[in-house]
Amino acid sequence: ELKVEQNPLFLSMQEGKNYTIYCNYSTTSDRLYWYRQDPGKSLESLFVLLSNGAVKQEGRLMASLDTKARLSTLHITAAVHDLSATYFCAVDTGRRALTFGSGTRLQVQP
Amino acid sequence: DADVTQTPRNRITKTGKRIMLECSQTKGHDRMYWYRQDPGLGLRLIYYSFDVKDINKGEISDGYSVSRQAQAKFSLSLESAIPNQTALYFCATSDLGGTGNTGELFFGEGSRLTVL
């Protein structure tokens, strides 16, 4: 059974600081997705990582994928309050549907 | 208009009642999914459908049933609702399966269900 683990589950950080969210998964996969969810809202796609070594960047967020280590990271650079949200990673094993991590709730303090 | 539409958006019901959540999409995707979200547990897969004749159980299908009425419509039913089915339910579609497609999910706005 595929397990997807994110850490930390909760992250409070100050504006201007850098931090990384980690996503580990237990089964071979070369497709990984990052989503953002604002409170009470739906999930919005952030990044699609489709191969080992893939790196995507959008604004202050950068995601990478190491399929050999079964690890993806979401790096936040110089955080701003607007980045406060819950971030989910999701893994595709090619068998059925995406399996999600529990989410990382990010709170950026002024 | 949203590409993936869920109705109702909010519903309060009583234990033992039958509830249907509906999902329709205009993205033209073959694959549709129902997920359930509970605080601290991420999203868990209830059912998924790769086309109208292909419906599969997910990890938490007990107590739920689905119907794929057409390529664009996928409904989730709770035959006899119980309080621990109180959750936020999401419908999603995917372009996975086609050449060059990314396989990412596109979500509806969610249906908040409360079972008293």
Side-chain angles (χ1 to χ4, degrees), chain A residues 67-106:
Chain A
T67 60
K68 294 179 181 177
R70 298 179 184 171
L71 172 69
S72 180
T73 60
L74 179 66
H75 187 72
I76 303 152
T77 301
V80 293
H81 180 69
D82 284 352
L83 290 179
S84 297
T86 299
Y87 294 86
F88 292 94
C89 64
V91 177
D92 176 20
T93 61
R95 293 193 189 137
R96 49 179 200 178
L98 301 192
T99 299
F100 284 79
S102 299
T104 296
R105 184 174 156 221
L106 173 65

Side-chain angles (χ1 to χ4, degrees), chain B residues 69-81:
Chain B
Q69 301 95 325
Q71 187 212 30
K73 294 183 183 295
F74 193 36
S75 300
L76 177 71
S77 293
L78 288 68
E79 296 300 326
S80 179

Side-chain angles (χ1 to χ4, degrees), chain B residues 86-99:
Chain B
T86 293
L88 183 58
Y89 291 85
F90 284 105
C91 174
T93 72
S94 168
D95 64 359
L96 188 64
T99 302

Side-chain angles (χ1 to χ4, degrees), chain A residues 1 31 33 35 37 40-43 45 48 50 88 92 95-102, chain B residues 33 35 37 40-43 45 48 50 58-59 90 96 101-105 107-109:
Chain A
E1 179 188 346
R31 286 178 173 252
Y33 306 81
Y35 289 86
Q37 185 181 35
K41 302 292 186 182
S42 186
L43 282 82
S45 179
V48 177
L50 300 179
F88 292 94
D92 176 20
R95 293 193 189 137
R96 49 179 200 178
L98 301 192
T99 299
F100 284 79
S102 299
Chain B
Y33 310 81
Y35 283 90
Q37 185 177 28
L41 293 179
L43 277 75
L45 182 65
Y48 59 107
F50 286 172
E59 60 183 305
F90 284 105
L96 188 64
N101 293 332
T102 65
E104 66 187 297
L105 295 180
F107 286 87
E109 293 299 308

Side-chain angles (χ1 to χ4, degrees), chain B residues 12-89:
Chain B
I12 300 174
T13 191
K14 294 182 179 180
T15 297
K17 295 292 188 182
R18 184 177 186 273
I19 295 296
M20 179 181 286
L21 306 179
E22 298 184 329
C23 177
S24 62
Q25 52 114 347
T26 58
K27 299 191 76 67
H29 292 163
D30 288 328
R31 301 189 175 198
M32 298 187 73
Y33 310 81
W34 277 104
Y35 283 90
R36 166 179 171 160
Q37 185 177 28
D38 298 278
L41 293 179
L43 277 75
R44 293 182 292 167
L45 182 65
I46 306 173
Y47 270 95
Y48 59 107
S49 171
F50 286 172
D51 66 39
V52 174
K53 296 181 180 179
D54 182 4
I55 294 177
N56 304 278
K57 292 182 178 181
E59 60 183 305
I60 56 164
S61 59
D62 286 348
Y64 301 94
S65 62
V66 290
S67 172
R68 185 82 185 264
Q69 301 95 325
Q71 187 212 30
K73 294 183 183 295
F74 193 36
S75 300
L76 177 71
S77 293
L78 288 68
E79 296 300 326
S80 179
I82 56 177
N84 76 2
Q85 292 177 312
T86 293
L88 183 58
Y89 291 85

